[in-house]
Amino acid sequence: MVRFEDLRIFVSAADHGSFSAAARELDLTPAVASAALKRLELTLETRLFVRSTRSLRLTADGERYLEYARSAIATLDAGRNALARDKTAISGTLSISVPSDLGRNVLLPWLDEFQRRHPRVGFQVRISDRLADLFRQPVDIAVRYGTPADSSLVALPLSESNRRVVCASPAYLARHGTPQTPVDLRRHNCLSFVLGESLHDRWTFERDGVSQTVPVKGDRVSDDGELVRRWALAGCGVAYKSRYDVLEDLRAGRLVQLFGDHQGEPSPLYLLCVHRMLLSPAVKRLRACLQERFAAFEVG
């Protein structure tokens, strides 16, 4: 069996015309290089070099074999490089779960752009506001608001500065008036979101380090964040939404943010998975891309 290392030493010695030079190039001792050449000659049952105390030259068999040795080394190097590229390649199919509102209106265009840049990446997208059971469902990663309650999940921040905002359409405010303080929400139709069995009907605000929670009520409740946003756009009531979900609506004037001197509760955004072994090169690149896009999204 011909050793790969022996082939390298043979080619280097042929190129340099010296065992010592080949040994220096490959960071070996001259004795190791000489032993490798002897081993190769024994395996091939032929002399590859004519040696003297002052020179080293290839025999006729050595000349013929050199071409094959170079080819073998090039092929093996190409195979090794291909495997190395595969380990870092941005490729494969990612199954990703995204929130209803943010997913449809913000993330999906960004995923399209990511796929155009990396055409070897495919996506299986699940849209739901419920946190996917990453241990049971065929989901690689999930994008979700809020620090996950399950501490066994790997949670990588995408944006930690996001908060909830209270907003309503100009048409609703024209009909019902503009609430001036969070307490005024008790006299308004508040559009509530329900997640699982939990009704989000207590809205929390912070001003000058003081926290305030206001119970709200209204005639519409949904477990779909996108539907709550559509109700707000249609003038059906006041919504308490992640700022990212309504940022473009606020900038376009379709919705108006209320209580600018009060901060809504934090709503950081995370990329979740069950184990760090699932953080493939594609996932890492996607996370970096999303972090950049959210940072740019913030400043418009």
Side-chain angles (χ1 to χ4, degrees), residues 64-230:
R64 287 196 297 271
Y65 190 68
L66 181 62
E67 177 183 351
Y68 294 103
R70 291 190 193 280
S71 177
I73 291 173
T75 299
L76 291 171
D77 283 343
R80 181 173 58 187
N81 291 337
L83 289 177
R85 285 194 301 271
D86 287 344
K87 290 179 180 178
T88 58
I90 307 301
S91 63
T93 299
L94 293 178
S95 179
I96 178 171
S97 174
V98 297
S100 170
D101 199 338
L102 184 78
R104 286 186 173 93
N105 301 312
V106 178
L107 290 180
L108 291 190
W110 294 355
L111 294 181
D112 290 341
E113 179 186 347
F114 183 85
Q115 200 166 28
R116 285 192 293 271
R117 293 182 180 180
H118 307 286
R120 296 177 61 191
V121 174
F123 286 110
Q124 294 178 353
V125 181
R126 296 169 180 260
I127 293 184
S128 173
D129 286 314
R130 291 183 175 234
L131 177 58
D133 187 340
L134 300 182
F135 291 98
R136 295 184 179 180
Q137 296 182 10
V139 174
D140 299 319
I141 55 177
V143 175
R144 286 293 182 270
Y145 288 117
T147 305
D150 188 346
S151 61
S152 66
L153 292 174
V154 177
L156 304 177
L158 294 175
S159 176
E160 296 183 283
S161 62
N162 184 53
R163 286 181 174 266
R164 290 187 174 275
V165 296
V166 177
C167 55
S169 71
Y172 175 87
L173 297 176
R175 290 195 306 270
H176 301 281
T178 301
Q180 300 301 311
T181 68
V183 174
D184 294 341
L185 291 172
R186 294 173 179 172
R187 298 191 298 271
H188 285 264
N189 192 46
C190 295
L191 308 170
S192 296
F193 177 71
V194 60
L195 183 60
E197 302 301 322
S198 299
L199 176 62
H200 196 199
D201 61 351
R202 296 176 63 83
W203 297 357
T204 300
F205 305 91
E206 183 178 315
R207 180 184 180 185
D208 298 330
V210 178
S211 180
Q212 178 184 19
T213 298
V214 178
V216 299
K217 60 182 179 179
D219 61 4
R220 303 192 184 206
V221 176
S222 178
D223 65 350
D224 188 316
E226 167 69 359
L227 184 53
V228 173
R229 171 179 165 270
R230 291 188 184 186

Side-chain angles (χ1 to χ4, degrees), residues 23-91:
R24 285 193 299 273
E25 180 183 61
L26 300 174
D27 196 23
L28 302 171
T29 65
V32 170
S34 179
L37 266 300
K38 290 179 181 178
R39 184 166 54 241
L40 182 60
E41 288 178 330
L42 286 173
T43 301
L44 298 175
E45 297 181 349
T46 188
R47 293 291 296 274
L48 299 174
F49 289 101
V50 175
R51 304 169 178 82
S52 71
T53 56
R54 294 186 177 181
S55 66
L56 181 74
R57 63 178 177 84
L58 290 166
T59 64
D61 283 348
E63 292 279 4
R64 287 196 297 271
Y65 190 68
L66 181 62
E67 177 183 351
Y68 294 103
R70 291 190 193 280
S71 177
I73 291 173
T75 299
L76 291 171
D77 283 343
R80 181 173 58 187
N81 291 337
L83 289 177
R85 285 194 301 271
D86 287 344
K87 290 179 180 178
T88 58
I90 307 301
S91 63

